Structure formats: C-alpha cells, structure tokens
Amino acid sequence: MEGSEDIKGKRTALAIKLVVAFHLIGLAGLLITPTRPLFLQLVPYHLLLMTLVLFFTHQPFNKKFTSFFLLIFIVGFTVEWIGVHTGKLFGSYNYGPTLGLQLGGIPVIMGANWFLLIYAAGVSLQYLSIKAIWLRILIGAIILVLLDLLIEPVAIRLNYWHWVGNTIPFTNYSCWFIISVVLLLVFELLRFKKQSIVAVILLVSQFIFFAALQ
C-alpha cells in the first residue's frame, strides 16, 4: 500500500509540473510575436495533452469515469454543432483553423475541452466545504462563465472562433451557464471518485493563462 501511494504521489507531482510548465511555455510562445504562429498550431495538441494528463492521474480509471468522459465529450460536441449550424444556442459564430481537425465545422477537440472544463470545475468545488450539491453546481457554472469572459477576446484574436457581426451576444454567456449547470449535475450524479488536485491546478492555470493574454 505504501509503495502504491508513493507511485501515486510521484504521478500527481509529475502531472502538476506538466500542467504548469505547458501553460507557461504556451503563454510565452503566444506572447512572443515570432513564435506565435507555431504555438497556435500546437493549441489542439495542448488540449489533448491536458486531457491525457487528467486521465493519467484520475484514480481509479474505471467504466464510470470513462462513461462520464464520453458523455461530456458527446454532449459538448453536439451543443457546439447545434450552436454553429443553427445559431440558436450561443449565438452566430464559426470556428477558425486554430483548434485543429474539424468534423462538420466543429473542432473535434472541443468535446475534450468541455470535459476539461467540467471536470476541473467540478473537482475543484469538491475541495470546498459546500455540502449542498445545487450550490456547488451553481458556483461551478459561475466560475466557468467567468472563465469564458476571459477566453472570448483571446479566442477571437487568435482565430479560435469568430462571432457574426463581431459582437459577443449575451446568449453566449447565458447558454454557457445553463449547459454548465446541466453537465455539472451529471458530474455530481455519476458515482466516480472526484478528488484530483491536478484538476484544481488546471483550472487555476486556465484562468492565469487567459488573463495574461488579454
């Protein structure tokens, strides 16, 4: 048991170093004009790496956790598809090339991105002394909307996506909140272990990353 805990501790420490290091390296690469084109090409691979890091550190890695990932991935990709093709969820927007391989005009990595956000926010709230599920869900959804407020201007400038008319509609944020509430409810209801300090570090790193790029 002691050996197992030691391995788990080393794995967690390595994951934290990877999350922090890659966010700092990515930040520096995007802030320095000559290296920006290269680092923009690496954006989808960065998101994929963060997904793999969370997989690597989540214990136990079982059917309940993989079911959660697949469900969030599919729902996240689906709402993006509906949003782009109908304009009835977030507003009228289209994706640029920065986020990589697309399926039906939607970057495939967006499914993983929704997982990263929901998992990171959901796990982070588990560390607070909030017993009421509904309160954790509401706070988590507010946190994700605040993060989106930081993401939007950066995403537009770096060609992640673009809004028709160059105006971010209020429905984008209201829809983010509603979808976050639903997916965080799924997070709360599915019975898998929800303790991972790496997820907390990832959420904090995301806030710092996008705040620094403003």
Side-chain angles (χ1 to χ4, degrees):
M1 178 64 73
E2 185 175 340
S4 176
E5 288 299 316
D6 185 53
I7 293 173
K8 181 180 178 182
K10 290 180 179 178
R11 180 183 296 179
T12 299
L14 174 61
I16 290 173
K17 290 177 182 177
L18 285 173
V19 170
V20 173
F22 274 85
H23 276 85
L24 290 176
I25 293 170
L27 177 60
L30 292 173
L31 286 174
I32 300 171
T33 302
T35 60
R36 187 174 301 149
L38 171 62
F39 277 81
L40 285 175
Q41 295 179 39
L42 297 176
V43 168
Y45 301 103
H46 170 83
L47 293 173
L48 178 59
L49 176 63
M50 293 302 104
T51 302
L52 293 175
V53 166
L54 291 187
F55 280 6
F56 180 69
T57 54
H58 182 89
Q59 298 293 327
F61 190 87
N62 53 25
K63 289 183 179 179
K64 292 179 180 179
F65 176 69
T66 53
S67 295
F68 168 73
F69 167 75
L70 290 173
L71 180 58
I72 300 301
F73 186 101
I74 292 170
V75 172
F77 185 87
T78 300
V79 296
E80 296 291 344
W81 191 95
I82 294 171
V84 166
H85 290 281
T86 70
K88 293 182 179 179
L89 291 180
F90 305 99
S92 297
Y93 67 106
N94 293 288
Y95 280 100
T98 302
L99 292 172
L101 177 67
Q102 297 187 4
L103 183 62
I106 313 301
V108 176
I109 200 65
M110 284 304 296
N113 190 55
W114 273 102
F115 160 75
L116 289 173
L117 295 173
I118 296 300
Y119 181 85
V123 170
S124 296
L125 267 295
Q126 298 293 315
Y127 283 89
L128 301 180
S129 300
I130 302 174
K131 294 183 179 181
I133 290 178
W134 66 268
L135 186 55
R136 289 201 299 269
I137 290 172
L138 288 178
I139 294 175
I142 291 171
I143 288 173
L144 291 179
V145 171
L146 292 175
L147 179 57
D148 188 44
L149 284 167
L150 292 176
I151 292 174
E152 288 295 341
V154 176
I156 294 169
R157 192 168 69 250
L158 298 182
N159 208 16
Y160 285 28
W161 57 76
H162 295 283
W163 294 95
V164 175
N166 296 319
T167 302
I168 305 171
F170 175 75
T171 52
N172 172 61
Y173 301 110
S174 60
C175 193
W176 255 75
F177 179 79
I178 293 170
I179 293 173
S180 295
V181 165
V182 173
L183 296 183
L184 285 168
L185 176 61
V186 172
F187 171 88
E188 292 282 354
L189 294 180
L190 289 182
R191 296 184 177 278
F192 62 89
K193 187 177 180 181
K194 299 180 173 71
Q195 295 293 317
S196 172
I197 193 64
V198 180
V200 180
I201 300 300
L202 175 63
L203 184 63
V204 173
S205 297
Q206 288 273 296
F207 269 97
I208 295 173
F209 180 84
F210 285 105
L213 286 173
Q214 297 300 307

